[in-house]
Amino acid sequence: STLPESAIQSLIGALKDENTYVRQSAASTLDKQSTLSESAIRPLIGALKDEDRHVRYSAASALHNQSKLSESAIQSVIGALKDENKDIRQSAASALGMQSTLPESAIQSLIGALKDKDRHVRYSAASALGGQSTLHVSAIQSLISALKDKDADIFVDVSCLYMYKTTNFASTRSKALCTQNPLNLTRRKSSHQPLKLFNTKQGYIHKAR
């Protein structure tokens, strides 16, 4: 439910409380708001650098729900991709994925996150890149490389779907790597049924979960 502005302002103030639990609870409550004003987003950005990882995670999660972040906010979220905590890095990548158009600095950071040691971070980075309306060739090549990841079956469908919807799909080696039956990709786009990639002796094929 949407909180009144007075309640949101109180929560913003609580983000600076000396008690860690209070700060974390405030960020967690803001996480439930689908649309926050810039005055609320700025304190959450500051909370990304909180000394407590739980506060940082709740702040990143709250930002994940925002579909429109300012350039400065995006830059701060990019910084969170380097947090020592894997859950915060994953939330940061997911938050960037909520933005339909990202600056090149964010794209490059997400490309770097495709090599994160945590599989969930890599998945969120691939998903964020796959959700972009346009990508440069270098980013597309990075998604293609992600198909070779040891955990490729987790997020390769995201990479394939992006390549499938681009005009250059047929001319890239991603076509051979992604599927032997493009109709499966078409079905996934229309029905939102997830696909999983299975590595067989004959090559890569898609199969509905």
Side-chain angles (χ1 to χ4, degrees):
S1 60
T2 302
L3 292 174
E5 185 62 25
S6 58
I8 290 178
Q9 290 303 315
S10 296
L11 290 169
I12 290 174
L15 288 174
K16 297 181 180 180
D17 195 277
E18 63 180 14
N19 185 284
T20 299
Y21 179 74
V22 173
R23 298 197 304 275
Q24 190 272 330
S25 294
S28 181
T29 302
L30 289 171
D31 181 15
K32 299 177 176 63
Q33 304 304 298
S34 59
T35 303
L36 291 171
S37 65
E38 187 64 26
S39 63
I41 290 177
R42 282 195 298 270
L44 284 170
I45 291 297
L48 288 175
K49 297 182 180 180
D50 194 278
E51 62 184 14
D52 184 84
R53 64 184 177 89
H54 299 292
V55 177
R56 298 199 304 276
Y57 174 76
S58 293
S61 295
L63 292 169
H64 170 218
N65 288 331
Q66 306 306 304
S67 60
K68 185 69 174 178
L69 293 175
S70 67
E71 176 69 24
S72 60
I74 288 175
Q75 293 303 317
S76 295
V77 175
I78 289 173
L81 284 174
K82 298 180 180 180
D83 194 281
E84 62 184 15
N85 183 274
K86 61 183 178 61
D87 294 327
I88 296 169
R89 298 197 301 275
Q90 189 270 331
S91 284
S94 295
L96 291 174
M98 289 295 291
Q99 313 304 304
S100 60
T101 304
L102 289 169
E104 185 61 23
S105 57
I107 296 295
Q108 292 303 316
S109 295
L110 286 169
I111 289 174
L114 289 174
K115 298 180 180 180
D116 193 278
K117 59 184 179 181
D118 183 80
R119 64 194 301 201
H120 300 295
V121 176
R122 297 197 300 274
Y123 174 84
S124 293
S127 181
L129 289 169
Q132 295 301 294
S133 56
T134 58
L135 283 177
H136 291 305
V137 173
S138 61
I140 294 176
Q141 290 301 322
S142 294
L143 280 173
I144 293 173
S145 296
L147 298 175
K148 300 178 181 180
D149 188 275
K150 63 180 180 180
D151 288 319
D153 61 325
I154 299 172
F155 62 83
V156 72
D157 56 322
V158 178
S159 305
C160 288
L161 281 173
Y162 182 83
M163 255 68 77
Y164 180 71
K165 70 181 182 180
T166 60
T167 56
N168 292 327
F169 179 85
S171 63
T172 66
R173 59 194 178 97
S174 63
K175 183 176 182 180
L177 286 169
C178 283
T179 183
Q180 293 178 349
N181 183 4
L183 293 178
N184 283 334
L185 287 172
T186 304
R187 185 172 64 252
R188 184 187 189 280
K189 289 178 68 179
S190 60
S191 64
H192 303 290
Q193 293 297 314
L195 297 175
K196 186 172 183 179
L197 195 73
F198 289 84
N199 189 351
T200 69
K201 293 181 180 180
Q202 290 73 36
Y204 289 90
I205 60 173
H206 271 95
K207 180 179 180 180
R209 287 197 186 115

